[in-house]
Every structure is written in C-alpha cells, then in structure tokens.
Amino acid sequence: MPTTAASGADPADLAGLFDRYARELLRYCSRRVGPQLAEDVVAETFLLAHEHRDRYDSSRGELLPWLYGIATNLLRRHRRVEVRALRLAARAESETEGPSRRTAERIDGERTVARLAGVLAGLPRRQRDVLLLYAVAELEYAEIAAALDIPLGSVQSALHRARTKVRAALAAEGVAR
C-alpha cells in the first residue's frame, strides 16, 4: 500500500492528485512548452505518477516536488520544442515594431522577454530546469533537489551559474542595443 505524504495526499488517489496539483503543474509546463503541449505533459505526469506510485517515498517530502520531477523529465523529451519556442520568442524581438497604441514600456518588456528566452534556450539543461523550477514553479532548493533527484549542492551551484549567465547575457544585450 502506498504511503501518504505529510500533506495527506495519497499517490494512489489519481483524481485527488490531479485536483490538488494539476493547476500548478500546468502553469509550470505551459511556460516551458506552451499551453497545448503542457496539457499533454501534465496528463502524462499524472498517469506516470499513478503507474509508479509504489516508487514514491514519503520520507523524501511532499508529493508536489515528486510530480515536478516527473513533469521535468517529460519536458526533457520535449526539449526541442521548448528551445524552438524560446528561440522564436527571441527572434520576435527583432520583428517587434508594434502598433503605435502600444506603450514604450510594453515594447521594452517584450524585448526583455525575448532576450531572456534566447538566454534560457542557450543554458545547459540542468541549469535551465533548476532555474525554471525555482522561478516559475517557485520551489525551494530542497524541493528542486527532490524533483530532479540531485544533491542540494548541485541545485545551488546550477542556480547560481544560471543566474550569472542570465545576468551577464542580459547586461551584454543591454549594452549592445
């Protein structure tokens, strides 16, 4: 019989897990691969979680980081789609002339998002996964470590490296423009 997490969620209760965590996972996955593919990834996440519920170890923490780990592994399969979307967003910057009704702030924001998307596309997979789990999913370091099944120190160093690369790239872009 599967163990129950400290939160009271039962990995064997597929409907309960979905009701409780689907919205958070969908938000995270949508930001990575877009809403249509994200729905498929989230559905597959819950199916895999249910199939492998006997592998869940409640002593490692809550169910949500475990689900984020499954989702992140599935997203790796869709890496090409994610990188392509990030690069398209980066390219959109050069095409952003925008109608006159747009404010300068919005155009600047779109350009920053486009530059950031290009930088994210160029990060190594682990650094991108850690950064997005931290920034988009708002997981704590320990939860990211559990989700990706990596040591806490690896999370900290990957996040530090990713932040450094993002800052440097955005600073260089700001100077060049």
Side-chain angles (χ1 to χ4, degrees):
M1 186 83 189
T3 55
T4 302
S7 66
D10 181 357
D13 178 14
L14 184 59
L17 286 178
F18 188 85
D19 289 343
R20 189 170 191 163
Y21 301 119
R23 178 174 282 163
E24 289 181 64
L25 288 172
L26 185 60
R27 181 177 62 94
Y28 169 67
C29 293
S30 292
R31 290 190 176 173
R32 294 204 53 183
V33 293
Q36 289 178 331
L37 184 55
E39 289 177 4
D40 293 340
V41 171
V42 170
E44 193 174 352
T45 297
F46 284 102
L47 289 175
L48 283 173
H50 188 69
E51 287 175 13
H52 301 292
R53 64 189 176 273
D54 58 320
R55 295 183 187 172
Y56 172 69
D57 179 4
S58 65
S59 68
R60 293 188 65 195
E62 299 290 328
L63 274 165
L64 186 58
W66 182 62
L67 293 171
Y68 273 121
I70 294 169
T72 299
N73 286 333
L74 291 171
L75 287 167
R76 286 183 186 141
R77 293 182 190 166
H78 301 285
R79 181 177 182 276
R80 280 187 231 147
V81 173
E82 177 184 26
V83 169
R84 189 177 314 127
L86 290 169
R87 288 191 175 132
L88 281 173
R91 255 188 265 135
E93 175 202 3
S94 62
E95 299 165 5
T96 305
E97 302 270 330
S100 60
R101 66 181 176 195
R102 288 188 181 172
T103 65
E105 263 183 29
R106 183 168 178 183
I107 291 171
D108 286 345
E110 289 172 357
R111 287 180 178 160
T112 300
V113 167
R115 285 193 302 265
L116 180 58
V119 172
L120 289 175
L123 288 176
R125 185 192 69 205
R126 179 179 280 183
Q127 290 175 14
R128 184 175 48 253
D129 288 345
V130 168
L131 180 64
L132 293 174
L133 283 169
Y134 181 79
V136 176
E138 299 177 0
L139 296 184
E140 300 292 327
Y141 292 175
E143 293 172 319
I144 296 168
L148 299 179
D149 197 24
I150 59 176
L152 182 62
S154 295
V155 170
Q156 293 167 326
S157 64
L159 185 58
H160 174 74
R161 287 185 180 118
R163 285 175 166 167
T164 300
K165 289 176 182 176
V166 167
R167 280 188 201 110
L170 291 179
E173 286 282 326
V175 172
R177 298 203 176 262

